[in-house]
Amino acid sequence: MKYFISSIFSMVFLLMLGSNGLAQNRPNVLWINADDLGIELGCYGNPDVKTPNIDRLAKQGILYKRAYANAPICSPSRSSMITGMYPPSANSHDHRTINMTRLPQGIAPITTYFKAQGYFCTNGNSHNMAKGGKEDFNFLSENLFDGTDWKQRAKDQPFFAQVQIHEPHRDFVRDKENPVAADKVHLPECYPDYPIIRADWALYLESVQECDKQVGLILDRLEKEGLADNTIVFFFGDNGRPHLRDKQFLYEGGLRVPLIVRYPNHFKPKVEKEKLVSLVDVTATSLSLAGIASPTHLQGTVFLGQKAQQIKYVYGFRDRAGDAVENMRSICNGRYKLIWNRTADRPWMQLSSYKKAQYPAFSLYNVLYKKGALAAPFNQFMAATKPVIELYDLKKDSMEFNNLAELKKHQKIKDQLFQQLSTQMVAFEKNRIPEDEKTIEKAKASSLKYYEQQIKTHNPAFTADTSDEKLLQDWENRLLKK
């Protein structure tokens, strides 16, 4: 109560100062959040994509090569960032929670703390800043934001703004100015090399290029309005790339995201090649750089500025996503990643209506596997069950195909990481409320309805029982036709 009253007085005081007071000297904080963006950018070394605007930002700021989302799908990841808490700690672990609740006692959105210090808080759509941007928070709330655009604030009032970029989320958007040649792309080694995979990957890269154009418009606007020097820009993806073995899973493709921070005249441009950081840390760091005392309950670590600390581990969380019910946790120390499959009895390729409707690879894998034509190591993903523990040496096996968990020489690091992960879960999951069977069935029914609606947009004759073979043929007709 004492903190709440103090915050209210602080907010009133700062607003009374107006254009001549302290408020104008506070830095603005801007989060540019791209939906489903992996590290497929020019500044991250991808030769097949044109991202001049993001590359420009990287040259002006600090680029983190080892940045991770804390959940491999949007709503738990976004819920984590806006609260500065891991998804289960905010009871926001299941994707688009059906039985939403208020945040647990003592936990509040980051906008609460910015508003208390006189900041104007916004969330806008990059394509139309008059519209609200994507939120997708898994908890009940109201009045999180004061508007959609920082231009709506009072004169000289500092702002905390989020700008949401839809791309490269599916459905992919073609870049007619700079099309990507599917036959020339460098396909990641975690995917089998098939024309349909290449075509889908090329479209993803074109959507990344569309994202880059949006970033350019935002950066140019800051310059035009004279805000660039006093605005701390955080650019990131809310989770990893939208492909079969990536989004929704705790592998690198699902959790690894770009992160660039620019604060002119305060931080020199550089590339952080090994420093671990995750998106929950962006929350604590944003408050710290704005000179706002972080609440002690925040689970993120300040990674930049005078209060920066070393981050030893990053954590990943996956629960229900649509009709795919899972319980996975991960920990990474930079070299090794351990994944704890607490629902190991389920296959990786259990039904995900979202992926079946949106990912050509989902049908391709099923068709090839039935024929016995899905080669190793890709056929591992078709196993009927998962190992309880997966352990990967990311330095030697960046694609995470070689599970070291049962090898004697790796027992020490396995035990160390598992002990750390399992111990932390006791605290991280204190507020987690598991969904009951009735709620899960409701989620599955909703996912099935979504699936039927999606496939009928491509072929009105398709039904829930349409075979993978026919779905794959439809994908090939749409993506491979000359």
Side-chain angles (χ1 to χ4, degrees), residues 22-32 56-64 114 119 158-159 219 222-223 226-235 259-270 285-292 302-307:
L22 178 62
Q24 66 178 0
N25 297 320
R26 306 296 289 272
N28 306 307
V29 178
L30 171 60
W31 289 2
I32 304 176
R56 173 183 24 142
L57 181 66
K59 288 179 181 178
Q60 298 168 344
I62 304 173
L63 181 150
Y64 293 86
F114 274 109
Y119 276 72
F159 62 80
L219 298 180
L222 290 175
E223 292 286 350
L227 296 170
D229 285 348
N230 196 39
T231 299
I232 308 168
V233 175
F234 291 83
F235 170 77
L259 174 62
I260 301 170
V261 184
R262 185 187 75 179
Y263 191 9
N265 305 316
H266 288 78
F267 302 122
K268 293 181 179 179
K270 63 177 177 178
T285 304
S286 295
L287 290 170
S288 177
L289 293 181
I292 301 172
V302 176
F303 63 85
L304 188 59
Q306 294 181 347
K307 297 181 179 180

Side-chain angles (χ1 to χ4, degrees), residues 11-134:
M11 177 175 66
V12 173
F13 173 69
L14 286 170
L15 290 177
M16 288 176 64
L17 286 174
S19 61
N20 297 316
L22 178 62
Q24 66 178 0
N25 297 320
R26 306 296 289 272
N28 306 307
V29 178
L30 171 60
W31 289 2
I32 304 176
N33 191 348
D35 210 339
D36 287 7
L37 179 63
I39 58 171
E40 288 67 46
L41 302 167
C43 53
Y44 277 82
N46 190 295
D48 303 324
V49 68
K50 293 180 174 65
T51 53
N53 297 297
I54 299 172
D55 297 350
R56 173 183 24 142
L57 181 66
K59 288 179 181 178
Q60 298 168 344
I62 304 173
L63 181 150
Y64 293 86
K65 289 209 164 185
R66 302 302 304 276
Y68 290 84
N70 299 105
I73 192 167
C74 59
S75 68
S77 177
R78 289 167 179 266
S79 299
S80 176
M81 289 193 66
I82 199 67
T83 60
M85 307 293 288
Y86 293 121
S89 295
N91 192 37
S92 299
H93 45 282
D94 292 303
H95 181 44
R96 293 179 180 158
T97 302
I98 294 175
N99 300 324
M100 285 193 186
T101 62
R102 295 277 177 184
L103 286 170
Q105 186 174 5
I107 297 175
I110 186 178
T111 51
T112 302
Y113 311 111
F114 274 109
K115 287 182 180 183
Q117 296 299 318
Y119 276 72
F120 188 79
C121 297
T122 71
N123 185 44
N125 183 320
S126 70
H127 291 276
N128 183 353
M129 290 288 284
K131 293 184 177 180
K134 181 176 181 178

Side-chain angles (χ1 to χ4, degrees), residues 268-284:
K268 293 181 179 179
K270 63 177 177 178
V271 176
E272 289 282 8
K273 294 182 179 180
E274 301 297 334
K275 188 172 183 177
L276 283 177
V277 63
S278 70
L279 294 186
V280 75
D281 305 314
V282 168
T283 312

Side-chain angles (χ1 to χ4, degrees), residues 245-256:
R245 198 173 177 266
D246 304 329
K247 182 178 177 179
Q248 297 189 7
F249 292 102
L250 302 182
Y251 299 120
E252 293 290 277
L255 293 177
R256 194 93 174 270

Side-chain angles (χ1 to χ4, degrees), residues 329-480:
R329 302 291 183 260
S330 68
I331 182 172
C332 177
N333 67 0
R335 171 71 184 269
Y336 292 94
K337 182 195 290 180
L338 182 142
I339 299 174
W340 183 12
N341 293 309
R342 301 197 292 190
T343 44
D345 58 321
R346 289 150 208 192
W348 286 286
M349 281 287 285
Q350 68 168 305
L351 176 63
S352 167
S353 292
Y354 164 73
K355 289 198 170 186
K356 189 174 183 180
Q358 292 279 359
Y359 292 25
F362 193 93
S363 294
L364 175 68
Y365 270 51
N366 281 321
V367 170
L368 292 176
Y369 189 69
K370 291 175 192 174
K371 295 178 179 178
L374 186 60
F378 313 108
N379 58 358
Q380 295 177 12
F381 203 59
M382 305 301 294
T385 61
K386 299 184 288 290
V388 174
I389 300 295
E390 298 175 68
L391 177 67
Y392 299 103
D393 182 342
L394 299 179
K395 185 176 181 179
K396 296 180 179 179
D397 179 27
S398 60
M399 297 296 113
E400 297 163 291
F401 279 128
N402 185 23
N403 184 8
L404 307 173
E406 299 304 318
L407 298 183
K408 186 176 181 180
K409 64 183 291 187
H410 292 97
Q411 289 307 298
K412 184 177 180 180
I413 186 63
K414 171 188 170 182
D415 292 344
Q416 175 190 332
L417 291 177
F418 183 75
Q419 178 66 30
Q420 175 70 20
L421 179 61
S422 57
T423 299
Q424 290 299 319
M425 283 306 123
V426 176
F428 294 164
E429 297 186 330
K430 183 176 65 173
N431 296 322
R432 180 179 184 268
I433 301 175
E435 291 183 328
D436 58 28
E437 287 301 318
K438 185 177 180 180
T439 302
I440 292 172
E441 289 306 313
K442 186 176 180 180
K444 290 182 176 180
S446 176
S447 294
L448 178 61
K449 183 177 180 180
Y450 163 84
Y451 171 71
E452 291 175 327
Q453 291 172 340
Q454 286 294 308
I455 61 173
K456 283 183 182 296
T457 62
H458 302 300
N459 189 328
F462 283 172
T463 68
D465 297 324
T466 297
S467 68
D468 286 302
E469 287 76 10
K470 288 184 178 180
L471 291 173
L472 179 59
Q473 184 178 34
D474 181 67
W475 278 113
E476 291 174 340
N477 290 339
R478 284 189 280 136
L479 297 187
L480 300 181

